[in-house]
Amino acid sequence: MVFPNLTAMCGGLGSEKLLWEANQLFLEYKDTEALEKYELLLSEHPEQQEALNKASIVCGRIGTRFLDDTNKSIYFQKAYTFAQRSMWVDSLSAEPNYVMALSLSNMCQLVTIKERMVQLNQIKTYLDRALSLDARHSGAWHLMGRWSFKVANLSFTEKSANRLLTQLPLPSSTNEEAIHAFTKAIELDPSNLLYYYDLARVQREADLKSECVTTLQRALDQKLVTTEDLELSRRCKMLLQEILKVRAS
C-alpha cells in the first residue's frame, strides 16, 4: 500500500514547521544549522521570502566570524545572492531592501576602493527605501548608523577614489547623524547589545565620554540570552573600563 504525502495534503504544514525551526535557530545565533534549514526550505519553495531574507542575514553573520578573506567572501557572496533573490520576489517591502543593504555593507570589507565607494551609494539608496517603507525597522536604523559613521570618517584616499574613479556624488554624513540613527535603533529594540556597543564607540570617537559611559552602563543592564550577547557584554565592559580609566587619569 502506498501512503500519501501527508505534508503535501496538509497544505505545506511541513514547510511551516521547517521555517519555525530555522527561525528558532536564527534567534539563538545557531547560524550554520539555521542556514541548512533555510536552504532546505528554499530548495522546495525558492520564493519563500522570509527564508531568503534570513538566509542572507545568517550568511553575513557566518562570514563575519571568519578571519580569512576567502571564507568571508564565500559567505558574503551567498548573502548577496539571497538578498538579490528576495528583491526579485518583492522589492516593495522594507526587509528585502534592508538585507540588500546589509549584504552590500559586508561586501564593502573585501572589495576595491572604487567598488566600495559605488556600494556606499547603493547602500544608502536601499536603506532610505527600507526606512521609507518601515520607519520602525531597528535593523535598518542600526545599519544607517554604521553607514553614517563610515561616511563621516572617509579617508583622503577614499574621497579621492570617489572623485577620480566614479561618476557618483561623494556620500556625506556626520558622527551626529550616526549617533541619531543608533539612538533610534535602541529606542525601537532596547535589548540589542550590538546597538549600544556601536553607539558607544561613536560617542567615544566624538569625545562624548559621559554619554558613552551612560550608553555602556545601559548595555550592561540588559539580559544576556545568546553567546553573542556574552561576547558583546564583554566588549562593552572592556570599553567602559577604558573610558573610565581615561577619565580618571
Side-chain angles (χ1 to χ4, degrees), residues 17-153:
K17 181 175 183 293
L18 190 57
L19 180 62
W20 182 87
E21 291 172 349
N23 286 344
Q24 289 302 114
L25 293 165
F26 176 90
L27 292 172
E28 295 168 6
Y29 283 78
K30 296 178 180 177
D31 293 328
T32 301
E33 297 95 323
L35 180 58
E36 289 176 0
K37 289 187 180 290
Y38 287 130
E39 290 183 319
L40 181 59
L41 176 56
L42 289 166
S43 69
E44 296 293 330
H45 303 278
E47 295 188 353
Q48 216 294 344
Q49 192 161 43
E50 184 177 356
L52 288 169
N53 290 333
K54 288 182 175 173
S56 179
I57 292 171
V58 296
C59 282
R61 294 198 312 210
I62 292 169
T64 299
R65 296 187 188 113
F66 282 102
L67 298 178
D68 63 291
D69 288 351
T70 300
N71 280 300
K72 281 182 182 291
S73 180
I74 290 169
Y75 280 97
F76 289 168
Q77 186 60 52
K78 285 186 70 171
Y80 178 69
T81 300
F82 281 125
Q84 278 186 313
R85 288 171 58 186
S86 181
M87 289 290 287
W88 290 333
V89 173
D90 175 18
S91 62
L92 299 179
S93 298
E95 191 70 6
N97 281 280
Y98 163 68
V99 296
M100 178 60 84
L102 183 61
S103 67
L104 286 169
S105 180
N106 284 328
M107 291 175 70
C108 273
Q109 301 175 38
L110 304 175
V111 297
T112 65
I113 291 179
K114 177 184 177 181
E115 290 171 315
R116 182 159 65 248
M117 298 311 298
V118 170
Q119 288 177 358
L120 283 174
N121 278 282
Q122 293 173 333
I123 290 165
K124 182 62 159 52
T125 298
Y126 288 116
L127 285 177
D128 283 343
R129 192 178 300 158
L131 289 170
S132 72
L133 293 163
D134 180 6
R136 298 185 61 79
H137 195 299
S138 61
W141 279 111
H142 172 247
L143 190 56
M144 184 68 85
R146 286 191 162 188
W147 181 91
S148 296
F149 181 67
K150 169 63 180 173
V151 168
N153 297 279

Side-chain angles (χ1 to χ4, degrees), residues 6 8 30 37 70 103 152 183 195-196 224 236 239:
L6 295 179
K30 296 178 180 177
K37 289 187 180 290
T70 300
S103 67
T183 302
Y195 298 174
Y196 293 97
L224 305 181
C236 287
L239 184 55

Side-chain angles (χ1 to χ4, degrees), residues 29 142 146 186 189-200 215-216 218-237:
Y29 283 78
H142 172 247
R146 286 191 162 188
I186 291 171
D189 185 4
S191 65
N192 194 310
L193 265 67
L194 180 59
Y195 298 174
Y196 293 97
Y197 180 65
D198 281 351
L199 172 59
T215 297
L216 292 168
R218 287 182 63 197
L220 295 173
D221 286 339
Q222 303 307 310
K223 182 179 179 181
L224 305 181
V225 178
T226 68
T227 54
E228 298 286 326
D229 289 339
L230 289 170
E231 173 59 21
L232 283 165
S233 180
R234 185 187 69 83
R235 293 182 189 178
C236 287
K237 286 177 184 176

